[in-house]
Amino acid sequence: MSERLLTVENLEVSFSAYAGEIHAVRGVSFYLDKGETLVIVGESGCGKSVSMQTIMRLLPMPPAQIKNGTVLYKGQDILKKTDKEMERYRGKEFAMIFQDSMTSMNPTMRVGRQMTESIRKHQKAYGTEAKKIAVDMLAKVGLPNPKQIFYRYPHTLSGGQRQRVMIAMAISCKPSVLFADEPTTALDVTMQAQILELINHLKEETQTSVVLVTHNLGVVAKMADRIAVMYAGQAVESGTVRQIFYEPGHPYTWGLLGAMPDMLQSRKEKLYTIQGTPPDLFAPPVGCAFAARCDYCMKACLKENPSEYTDGKGHMVRCWLQDARSPKAEAPEGVIPIPLFPEGGALNG
Ligand code: SF4
């Protein structure tokens, strides 16, 4: 039986701004088991990164404010931990790979010094021992000449090298959970594939659990055990890769899948897009947040936020279409990506 590491329940996070309160995360729930990869997918501003940073307790408070919810890690509510206690969690239990390695590393410190800082703190290794651990990690992430890179400044490295250094820093204290916040967005396509391959390889080797945040569904299929689809600060659908790709139940997931470029599509055909824009999170709608963009919107959708419907096999859909009283609706033709992911192909869920 799988071991539950992290349980996030009904998490609500807001930001105070001059113009009012931004309801960035509005009741998000998900879980993570030991050794699995959960991919959180959704468009910019849907609350993916804010959720991760809240779990790591990296958000400045104020302006951020946790309004509700619990984050249980190995049975402990980490939202109740003091800043001092959280220092022991960050690095040792949780580590994060950020989107932009250039702004996430200290430009005035050599790579080696930045790496050995957390090795000293969490592994109690000092001097040549700490240096050896750091150099070994740089070699492990595939960097040539790791001893030289140890003494280099971040700005002298390429984007791909810096991202590998960040991964080496993140895994150097063998964290139980690795949060990767769009780790390949700033890289070219070849480098993206290499970095994802590396994260997958390290996860297998160290049995680390991974929470990967992305807006790229191609990445999702390659990496995920389970997927959570977020929209306007809420998880609107979650399940295994197979459930999300082959049995999607939420119109927003249908839209995301339909918008994936299809290699078999004629060049004359227009690429599908989801019309409209996400709602203003200063004043989120009373009903379903996707209603203004949804082709299946009903009266009930405008009046009340949909409940979470689960099928007993771990597939959750937050949509009134799942209610027994609603008219039957299925994913539009072309949404289920059979030609892209044949049976036994990339999908592993
Ligand atoms: Fe569309 Fe209604 Fe479902 Fe929202 S609840 S996604 S508006 S059908």
Side-chain angles (χ1 to χ4, degrees), residues 48-242:
K48 311 181 294 277
S49 300
V50 173
S51 302
M52 297 306 91
Q53 289 171 19
T54 306
I55 297 169
M56 291 277 285
R57 298 271 303 276
L58 291 174
L59 293 173
M61 301 204 186
Q65 197 184 350
I66 299 168
K67 307 284 273 193
N68 198 8
T70 51
V71 178
L72 291 181
Y73 174 71
K74 293 183 178 170
Q76 305 260 336
D77 189 350
I78 58 165
L79 296 185
K80 295 206 171 103
K81 300 280 173 203
T82 62
D83 288 346
K84 194 85 194 143
E85 286 170 324
M86 277 313 292
E87 281 176 19
R88 286 201 292 275
Y89 279 82
R90 284 192 288 264
K92 181 89 189 111
E93 300 289 344
F94 305 143
M96 196 157 195
I97 306 169
F98 293 93
Q99 200 176 110
D100 184 358
S101 52
M102 192 64 214
T103 52
S104 318
M105 293 174 76
N106 187 333
T108 67
M109 279 165 74
R110 293 178 200 271
V111 163
R113 200 165 144 221
Q114 298 191 49
M115 286 189 76
T116 50
E117 208 170 46
S118 71
I119 294 171
R120 280 199 304 271
K121 185 171 174 57
H122 297 295
Q123 300 204 41
K124 307 286 176 235
Y126 304 92
T128 49
E129 194 191 345
K131 181 181 170 186
K132 184 176 178 319
I133 295 172
V135 170
D136 285 351
M137 282 298 156
L138 292 171
K140 196 172 212 153
V141 296
L143 283 163
N145 303 323
K147 283 184 187 161
Q148 279 181 21
I149 292 204
F150 184 88
Y151 290 107
R152 302 252 304 259
Y153 284 98
H155 71 272
T156 66
L157 303 173
S158 70
Q161 285 175 324
R162 271 197 307 272
Q163 204 62 331
R164 281 174 193 265
V165 168
M166 281 244 296
I167 295 173
M169 283 167 80
I171 61 165
S172 60
C173 293
K174 303 189 179 75
S176 298
V177 182
L178 180 63
F179 294 102
D181 189 1
E182 306 204 28
T184 58
T185 304
L187 303 174
D188 63 56
V189 180
T190 324
M191 201 47 72
Q192 283 183 14
Q194 288 180 19
I195 293 293
L196 292 174
E197 197 59 46
L198 175 64
I199 294 175
N200 245 349
H201 172 73
L202 294 170
K203 178 204 145 194
E204 298 294 325
E205 199 181 299
T206 56
Q207 276 295 296
T208 303
S209 307
V210 177
V211 181
L212 175 69
V213 168
T214 183
H215 55 251
N216 183 338
L217 278 172
V219 169
V220 175
K222 193 173 162 54
M223 301 285 290
D225 294 308
R226 283 187 307 105
I227 300 171
V229 181
M230 280 189 69
Y231 185 78
Q234 293 180 324
V236 293
E237 183 158 8
S238 63
T240 64
V241 183
R242 195 159 287 279

Side-chain angles (χ1 to χ4, degrees), residues 15-26:
F15 291 89
S16 303
Y18 182 71
E21 188 177 348
I22 306 165
H23 303 269
V25 176
R26 306 183 304 127

Side-chain angles (χ1 to χ4, degrees), residues 266-315:
S266 147
R267 287 175 66 183
K268 288 189 186 133
E269 265 181 74
K270 269 182 132 180
L271 195 61
Y272 173 78
T273 53
I274 304 172
Q275 297 298 318
T277 51
D280 181 358
L281 292 180
F282 275 113
V286 183
C288 172
F290 191 58
R293 308 169 79 183
C294 181
D295 294 336
Y296 306 85
C297 182
M298 302 167 283
K299 275 187 190 158
C301 308
L302 300 170
K303 285 189 188 146
E304 203 178 327
N305 198 9
S307 315
E308 292 187 354
Y309 292 86
T310 42
D311 67 353
K313 295 182 209 150
H315 188 183

